[in-house]
Amino acid sequence: MINAFKRKDKKEIIFDIFNTCLMIFICFITLYPIWYTLVLSFNDGTDAMLGGIYWWPRKFSLESYKAVFQNIGIIKAFGVTIARTVIGTVTNVLFTAMVAYAFSKKDLVGRKVYLTIGIITMFFNGGLIPNFLLMKNLGLLDSFWVYIFPTMFNFFNLIIFVSFFKEIPKALEESVMIDGANHFVIFWKIILPLSAPVIATIALFTGVFHWNDYFFGVIYINNPDLQPIQTYLYKVIAQATSNQMLMNAPGGISKANITSTSIKLATMVITTFPIVCVYPFLQKYFVKGMLLGSVKG
Amino acid sequence: MVKETTLKNCTSKLRKKKKINKFWQKLKRQKELQIMAWAGIIWMIIFNYIPMYGIIIAFKDYSIIKPISEAPWVGLEHFVEFFKDENFYMVIRNTLGISLLKLIIGFPLPIIFAILLNEIRHIGFKRTVQTISYLPHFLSWVVLGGIMINWLSETGIINELLIKFGVLDKPITFLSEPKYFWGIAVISDIWKELGWSAIIYLAAISGIDPELYEAATMDGAGRLAKIKYITIPCIQGTIAVLFILAVGNLLNTNFDQIFVLRNSLNQSMSEVIDIYVYRIGIQSARFSYATAVGLFKSVIALILLIIANFVTKKLKGNSLF
C-alpha cells in the first residue's frame, strides 16, 4: 500500500517538473522574440549586422530612434493612429451603447424584427469588393472618416451591452422618468455611468483594433498623409521605404551608424510600446471581454 | 338580430380603433427609443445590407461608371472563368493546405496547453504564464511579420544559429523559398494565438465541479487519470463547438498574416483566396470577377460549417444549431 503511494508520488513529481519546465519554455519562446527585437533596436545598426547579439545590446545606440523621430511621415502616421483610436473608440462605444439601450427595452415596438436584422449581419457579409464599392460610393475613399463610420457600430458588442443593461434595476430609471427626463437623458446620466466595467472592456477591444489595424489603410487610403502607423510600418517592412528614411537621417548614411533593418526595428518597438505598457494592467478586462463574447456567441 | 350584429361590429371596430390608438400612443411614448434603435438599423442597412446586395455584381458585368442596376446580367460566367483560371488550382491548394495545417496542429495545442496550465499548483506562477502567453495576441500582424522577416532573413538569428551549430553550410532566405511558407504561416499563427485560444478552455475547466476531482482522489486516481477521465470529458462540449466554428472558418486564411509575410518570390505557395480577391479586385479592378471568387468562398465555407455541425452532432451529440 505504502509502496504504491510512493510510486504514484514519484510519477507525479516527474509530471510536475516536466510541466513546469514546459511552461517556462513556452514563456521563453513567447518573450524572447520581443526581447531580441528590443535589444537589436537599441544596438548600433552596422554593428548589429555582424551578428552574435542575443541578450543585451553590444554597442548601445539611440541613433535609429533619432532617425525615426525625425521622420515627418512617421510623426504624421502616429497622429492618424492616435486620432482614429480615440475618435473611433469613443464613437463606437457611445453609438453601440445607445442603440443597445433601445434594444434592451422589452416593450420596444418592433424589437424582434430589429434583433433579427442585427443577427443576420453576424452571419452574412458582403465581402471585400462590395464593401470597397460602398466606401467608394459614399466618398469615404481617401478620407479619415473611413476609419470611423464603418467601425462605429458592432452588433456583437451590442449583445454584450444589452445583457448588461438588463441587469440595471428599473426603479432607478423610473424615478428619473417621473421628473420628466427623456430617454436620451436617462441613457447619458444614469445608464452610462453605471456601465463602466462593460464600457471598459469594449473600449479596450475597439481601441486595440484601431491601434493595430493596417488593412483599412492599405485598402481604402492612397494619400500617405492619412495612413495610420501600422500601414506605414507595413510599407516600411514590405517595401523599401526605409531606404528613404536613411537618406533623411541626420548626416546621411555614412555618419549615423544605422541600417534599414535597425530603423524597421525601432519603428516596430515604438508602435508596440503603448500596447505592451497598458497590457499587464488591463489584462483582466481583455479576458473578461473574450469570455463574454464567447458565451454570447 | 340585425341590430345585435351591427352593435357587435361597432364594438369590434371601436376596439380595433382603440388598439391602433394605443399602439400609436405607445410609439409616441417611446419616440426617443425608436430614434435610438433606428440609428442602429440605418447604420446596418448602409454598412451591412448594401454590401450584401452588392454581391449580385458577381452575376453581372459591373463597371465602375454605371450603377449596379444598369449592369448587364451574365449568369455564372465569372464562376466558370474562375474554375477555368490557371490560378484556380494553386489558390485552392494554398488556402486548404495552410488552413488544414492550422486546424490539425493549431487546434489541439491550446487544449493541451490549457489542461497542462491548469495542473500548475502555484497560483502566482500560473498567472504569470497566462499573462505572458496572451501578450502576442495584442501585437499587430505587421509587427509580428516584421519580427519574422527579421529572424528569417539571410543575416537573421535563425540562419546565424543554424550555421553556428553546423546544421547549414550557407544561409537560406526562408521567405523567398516557397516550400517553407506554409510552415512559417502555421508556426507564427500558433505562436501568436496559443495562449489566447486557451482562455475559453481554461474557463471551461474552472467550471468543472471540484467534487468530481475529490471523489476521484478518494478512489485513488492520479492526476493523469483525472485529466483523462474528468477534465477532458467535461470540456468535450466546448471543444466540439469550437471545432465546428474552426471548420466553418477553414477558408478564412488569416488575411492580415499572409498579406505581411507574402512576397513575389513565395507567391506560388502564399496566394490564398483572400489575397487573390484583393489582387484581382482592388489592384486590377475586376470587381465582378473578384466578387464571384469571394462568393464562391463564402458558399463553400457555409457548406463546410453545416457538414461539421452534422458530423459532430452524430458523433458526440454536440452541435451549434
Side-chain angles (χ1 to χ4, degrees):
Chain A
M1 187 65 189
I2 293 167
N3 261 346
F5 263 118
K6 259 191 183 160
R7 207 162 0 109
K8 211 176 267 163
D9 272 354
K10 229 180 198 171
K11 229 176 158 183
E12 300 219 334
I13 287 169
I14 291 171
F15 174 76
D16 268 334
I17 291 171
F18 164 78
N19 200 7
T20 312
C21 289
L22 183 77
M23 291 303 151
I24 292 172
F25 176 71
I26 288 176
C27 290
F28 174 74
I29 54 172
T30 308
L31 286 182
Y32 184 68
I34 301 167
W35 175 249
Y36 180 77
T37 309
L38 197 67
V39 166
L40 269 196
S41 75
F42 279 109
N43 198 74
D44 183 285
T46 19
D47 178 61
M49 299 255 280
L50 301 171
I53 301 166
Y54 302 115
W55 304 108
W56 205 251
R58 188 166 49 209
K59 230 172 145 185
F60 188 82
S61 152
L62 287 173
E63 290 301 325
S64 320
Y65 285 91
K66 275 186 195 154
V68 169
F69 279 118
Q70 269 157 6
N71 183 295
I72 298 165
I74 283 204
I75 307 281
K76 269 186 187 158
F78 260 113
V80 172
T81 293
I82 291 168
R84 75 175 277 196
T85 305
V86 173
I87 301 172
T89 308
V90 171
T91 50
N92 178 294
V93 168
L94 287 184
F95 187 66
T96 309
M98 182 190 81
V99 180
Y101 173 67
F103 277 37
S104 72
K105 296 283 173 224
K106 279 233 168 68
D107 61 344
L108 182 78
V109 175
R111 182 169 184 265
K112 268 200 178 141
V113 181
Y114 300 165
L115 280 174
T116 315
I117 290 175
I119 289 165
I120 290 172
T121 67
M122 290 169 68
F123 293 99
F124 300 99
N125 66 70
L128 180 66
I129 305 298
N131 269 308
F132 176 81
L133 293 175
L134 172 71
M135 299 309 158
K136 193 175 175 332
N137 291 333
L138 290 176
L140 286 175
L141 290 190
D142 260 336
S143 151
F144 174 78
W145 300 106
V146 80
Y147 300 125
I148 309 300
F149 291 133
T151 58
M152 203 164 85
F153 182 76
N154 185 327
F155 196 74
F156 213 76
N157 294 349
L158 176 129
I159 294 177
I160 295 173
F161 271 125
V162 166
S163 60
F164 189 89
F165 290 163
K166 273 186 188 160
E167 306 293 316
I168 295 176
K170 280 250 157 56
L172 270 173
E173 288 175 41
E174 275 156 11
S175 63
V176 191
M177 213 49 160
I178 295 165
D179 293 344
N182 70 30
H183 282 291
F184 285 103
V185 176
I186 294 172
F187 170 69
W188 187 254
K189 292 218 164 133
I190 309 265
I191 302 295
L192 278 187
L194 283 173
S195 314
V198 70
I199 289 176
T201 307
I202 287 174
L204 272 173
F205 272 97
T206 316
V208 170
F209 162 76
H210 275 292
W211 189 271
N212 277 344
D213 172 68
Y214 75 99
F215 183 74
F216 276 57
V218 169
I219 305 274
Y220 301 129
I221 299 288
N222 272 323
N223 181 354
D225 286 346
L226 282 175
Q227 61 189 5
I229 189 68
Q230 300 283 355
T231 308
Y232 187 92
L233 190 60
Y234 167 74
K235 286 180 178 162
V236 170
I237 287 167
Q239 293 151 23
T241 321
S242 44
N243 292 331
Q244 215 183 342
M245 285 167 73
L246 276 179
M247 305 303 262
N248 295 336
I253 307 171
S254 52
K255 194 183 160 198
N257 282 327
I258 41 183
T259 61
S260 64
T261 313
S262 67
I263 287 187
K264 283 178 198 171
L265 292 170
T267 317
M268 271 150 57
V269 171
I270 298 167
T271 316
T272 314
F273 187 71
I275 296 236
V276 176
C277 277
V278 300
Y279 166 73
F281 306 103
L282 303 171
Q283 196 218 128
K284 60 173 183 181
Y285 287 110
F286 283 125
V287 174
K288 216 199 268 158
M290 164 83 169
L291 289 174
L292 267 175
S294 60
V295 169
K296 300 296 159 200
Chain B
M1 239 355 234
V2 181
K3 251 187 183 174
E4 230 168 62
T5 42
T6 44
L7 220 128
K8 250 187 190 169
N9 261 339
C10 268
T11 45
S12 73
K13 263 186 191 165
L14 257 172
R15 259 192 216 142
K16 252 187 195 166
K17 242 189 183 172
K18 253 190 184 169
K19 238 185 181 175
I20 292 170
N21 266 340
K22 254 191 180 168
F23 176 79
W24 281 114
Q25 267 173 9
K26 199 176 171 190
L27 212 59
K28 222 177 176 182
R29 244 185 297 126
Q30 45 177 246
K31 189 176 64 190
E32 298 126 15
L33 284 179
Q34 288 291 341
I35 293 172
M36 290 177 182
W38 272 95
I41 302 285
I42 289 168
W43 188 94
M44 285 191 275
I45 289 172
I46 295 174
F47 288 101
N48 291 128
Y49 285 89
I50 291 181
M52 281 187 221
Y53 165 75
I55 291 177
I56 64 164
I57 66 168
F59 306 98
K60 288 184 160 207
D61 238 340
Y62 173 73
S63 69
I64 204 101
I65 1 166
K66 277 189 282 184
I68 293 175
S69 54
E70 283 175 32
W73 291 95
V74 293
L76 296 174
E77 199 180 277
H78 298 295
F79 294 89
V80 175
E81 193 188 343
F82 177 50
F83 299 144
K84 284 184 183 160
D85 195 293
E86 51 176 357
N87 292 319
F88 176 75
Y89 168 72
M90 178 185 81
V91 169
I92 298 292
R93 183 201 60 197
N94 291 340
T95 308
L96 285 179
I98 294 174
S99 299
L100 278 177
L101 280 177
K102 275 185 188 169
L103 185 71
I104 295 166
I105 305 170
F107 186 76
L109 282 181
I111 304 173
I112 298 168
F113 175 65
I115 290 172
L116 289 179
L117 185 62
N118 189 55
E119 292 299 320
I120 299 280
R121 281 173 183 159
H122 193 282
I123 301 290
F125 180 58
K126 193 172 157 184
R127 288 244 172 87
T128 314
V129 175
Q130 260 175 299
T131 307
I132 291 172
S133 70
Y134 301 157
L135 178 64
H137 176 79
F138 295 100
L139 304 184
S140 77
W141 267 114
V142 177
V143 168
L144 207 67
I147 294 179
M148 302 289 292
I149 290 166
N150 177 247
W151 279 49
L152 296 167
S153 73
E154 219 167 327
T155 54
I157 185 170
I158 302 273
N159 272 311
E160 198 182 317
L161 289 177
L162 287 177
I163 290 171
K164 201 173 171 185
F165 292 114
V167 184
L168 290 177
D169 296 329
K170 52 176 194 255
I172 304 173
T173 40
F174 290 96
L175 278 168
S176 312
E177 303 231 8
K179 63 179 169 187
Y180 296 116
F181 189 84
W182 289 12
I184 293 167
V186 172
I187 291 170
S188 57
D189 190 62
I190 292 171
W191 185 81
K192 193 170 188 288
E193 302 298 342
L194 176 75
W196 190 250
S197 321
I199 291 182
I200 295 183
Y201 299 114
L202 280 168
I205 292 173
S206 68
I208 298 173
D209 189 352
E211 275 181 27
L212 286 175
Y213 289 107
E214 279 159 28
T217 318
M218 298 290 265
D219 290 343
R223 281 161 76 194
L224 292 173
K226 275 187 245 171
I227 292 175
K228 195 172 161 194
Y229 294 111
I230 300 175
T231 313
I232 294 177
C234 281
I235 60 171
Q236 225 172 41
T238 313
I239 296 175
V241 168
L242 289 179
F243 183 77
I244 298 169
L245 289 175
V247 172
N249 254 329
L250 205 56
L251 295 184
N252 282 331
T253 41
N254 192 335
F255 182 94
D256 282 1
Q257 177 198 17
I258 311 265
F259 197 63
V260 173
L261 292 177
R262 89 199 169 104
N263 56 45
S264 51
L265 292 171
N266 63 29
Q267 198 178 10
S268 63
M269 297 299 264
S270 65
E271 184 101 335
V272 294
I273 294 181
D274 290 336
I275 302 283
Y276 185 64
V277 170
Y278 166 78
R279 274 203 322 114
I280 52 171
I282 308 282
Q283 289 183 336
S284 316
R286 292 170 65 193
F287 297 118
S288 281
Y289 179 57
T291 308
V293 176
L295 181 60
F296 169 75
K297 189 195 93 169
S298 308
V299 171
I300 302 288
L302 191 66
I303 294 171
L304 280 175
L305 183 74
I306 292 167
I307 294 174
N309 192 53
F310 179 77
V311 172
T312 36
K313 202 176 188 174
K314 275 270 139 71
L315 286 179
K316 302 271 182 202
N318 291 307
S319 70
L320 207 57
F321 41 79

